[in-house]
Amino acid sequence: MRPSQIMLKIIFQQALAVAIPNLGNMFISTIKYTSLVFIIGVIDIMGQAKILGSRGLAFFEVYIATAIIYWILCILVERLLVRIEKRARRYERGITA
């Protein structure tokens, strides 16, 4: 095998399997913290909720709906990352601890 093939087929696969959980946690945290971006001026889900709530003075209902959207989004991303992590760790199936 050439060094580039070794890097791609062996070393990269092992490094990816170790890195996926940390990258997934960072991605989910980024989703959760996007409401902080609204302070800077970028309208996100929380910003839209504030605008919608001010129109009908129904802040509680709009914020509950927004929380559910964030929750569902995080659940979907977490399940996707679990699948990716299992696929990346497929080479470890035969190893017993």
Side-chain angles (χ1 to χ4, degrees):
M1 262 200 217
R2 293 188 322 243
S4 61
Q5 288 177 326
I6 292 171
M7 179 66 87
L8 186 64
K9 293 186 178 187
I10 298 172
I11 297 173
F12 181 71
Q13 299 263 334
Q14 291 175 354
L16 187 64
V18 172
I20 285 176
N22 294 329
L23 292 173
N25 289 336
M26 284 180 22
F27 185 67
I28 289 174
S29 294
T30 302
I31 291 171
K32 290 179 182 178
Y33 294 132
T34 55
S35 61
L36 296 176
V37 176
F38 179 65
I39 295 170
I40 299 172
V42 178
I43 303 292
D44 67 332
I45 296 173
M46 214 47 199
Q48 289 293 337
K50 184 176 180 182
I51 292 167
L52 260 158
S54 66
R55 284 185 189 163
L57 296 175
F59 287 103
F60 184 74
E61 293 85 358
V62 173
Y63 285 151
I64 291 295
T66 304
I68 291 171
I69 290 170
Y70 270 118
W71 182 62
I72 290 171
L73 186 63
C74 288
I75 296 268
L76 291 174
V77 168
E78 180 184 2
R79 288 189 180 176
L80 176 69
L81 290 170
V82 166
R83 285 185 181 179
I84 292 171
E85 183 179 350
K86 282 181 182 178
R87 182 165 172 87
R89 291 186 177 269
R90 68 183 178 266
Y91 70 92
E92 294 180 359
R93 289 186 183 155
I95 299 173
T96 58

